[in-house]
Amino acid sequence: GQQLNQSPQSMFIQEGEDVSMNCTSSSIFNTWLWYKQDPGEGPVLLIALYKAGELTSNGRLTAQFGITRKDSFLNISASIPSDVGIYFCAGCDRGSTLGRLYFGRGTQLTVWP
Amino acid sequence: ETGVTQTPRHLVMGMTNKKSLKCEQHLGHNAMYWYKQSAKKPLELMFVYSLEERVENNSVPSRFSPECPNSSHLFLHLHTLQPEDSALYLCASSQDPGPRGPGELFFGEGSRLTVL
């Protein structure tokens, strides 16, 4: 099946620092999505991207759909303790319908006060 | 209630038990999904229902049996499970097609299953 490589696997940062994580795929994707999962909860959609080159912000979060359509990144600016959690990238390739998403393994973010 | 709700949140069962997980979505979506989340693995798609018809079964063992009686409810019936089936089972829903492309998934909080 489709492989999504998400990095880094984990990050330990100081409150106030900026964070960057990315995801790459082995084939062209039509959709990139970024989710956050808090402990004991289900993933929550943060940002959805549907066009190559698209740059979208949601508060302190910014995500971009790579021009090659094989990658995406998520940036978090001025991190705060509640940013702690696991961030997942997900995407659909050309043959996907019905939200059949491929998921990355996640980036575990820890923010020290 | 809003969003996607799952019950129970936690379930412990023996290998010979029969239990069911329940999911209800209040978003008016037309597709529902079961995902399995195990430690250090990507989310695994198990089943997809569109308009109450199963459209995908990703080689899931028959000890997992889904049921979708209507577009708002989804069940996962469990019987004779194995300890390796212990995981977080996530239900999701989406509107297909979405306004800009394949539907964005909205997840429930998950049912944490432990098989003894």
Side-chain angles (χ1 to χ4, degrees):
Chain A
Q2 178 64 256
Q3 295 283 335
L4 286 194
N5 295 308
Q6 184 172 351
S7 63
Q9 191 173 358
S10 60
M11 301 183 74
F12 298 83
I13 63 168
Q14 198 86 32
E15 183 177 359
E17 291 183 2
D18 297 342
V19 171
S20 184
M21 60 191 78
N22 68 80
C23 215
T24 59
S25 63
S26 55
S27 62
I28 290 174
F29 272 18
N30 288 339
T31 304
W32 282 100
L33 305 164
W34 286 92
Y35 287 86
K36 182 194 177 194
Q37 186 173 24
D38 291 327
E41 305 291 331
V44 174
L45 181 64
L46 299 174
I47 293 179
L49 303 160
Y50 289 99
K51 288 171 57 176
E54 181 178 356
L55 182 71
T56 298
S57 293
N58 178 5
R60 294 178 295 104
L61 277 61
T62 302
Q64 183 158 28
F65 193 142
I67 295 176
T68 65
R69 302 175 70 183
K70 292 184 177 182
D71 62 335
S72 177
F73 70 74
L74 175 71
N75 286 343
I76 305 173
S77 63
S79 57
I80 58 178
S82 62
D83 290 334
V84 166
I86 303 176
Y87 292 80
F88 291 98
C89 63
C92 292
D93 60 18
R94 281 180 183 166
S96 294
T97 58
L98 276 174
R100 289 183 180 82
L101 300 179
Y102 298 98
F103 281 85
R105 291 176 182 266
T107 296
Q108 173 75 61
L109 178 64
T110 302
V111 180
W112 300 105
Chain B
E1 295 199 51
T2 58
V4 182
T5 56
Q6 289 186 242
T7 54
R9 294 290 309 275
H10 300 273
L11 177 63
V12 179
M13 60 188 289
M15 289 191 283
T16 58
N17 292 157
K18 288 185 180 181
K19 297 285 184 183
S20 296
L21 307 180
K22 178 184 175 182
C23 176
E24 184 174 0
Q25 60 99 358
H26 309 271
L27 299 169
H29 288 165
N30 59 4
M32 296 187 77
Y33 311 77
W34 280 115
Y35 277 85
K36 178 183 178 182
Q37 187 176 35
S38 305
K40 305 198 186 295
K41 283 183 160 183
L43 282 159
E44 301 172 54
L45 179 62
M46 300 175 71
F47 301 105
V48 180
Y49 275 84
S50 174
L51 298 172
E52 303 150 44
E53 285 192 29
R54 190 193 311 181
V55 296
E56 186 152 336
N57 174 348
N58 271 357
S59 302
V60 179
S62 59
R63 56 186 184 269
F64 295 91
S65 174
E67 178 190 0
C68 187
N70 54 61
S71 60
S72 299
H73 293 86
L74 185 65
F75 295 88
L76 188 62
H77 303 300
L78 316 169
H79 62 98
T80 59
L81 295 191
Q82 305 297 312
E84 60 264 29
D85 296 323
S86 299
L88 182 68
Y89 288 86
L90 290 162
C91 173
S93 70
S94 71
Q95 182 60 30
D96 184 72
R100 294 201 293 162
E104 300 159 7
L105 297 184
F106 291 81
F107 286 89
E109 294 176 318
S111 294
R112 172 69 63 187
L113 173 66
T114 302
V115 182
L116 301 177

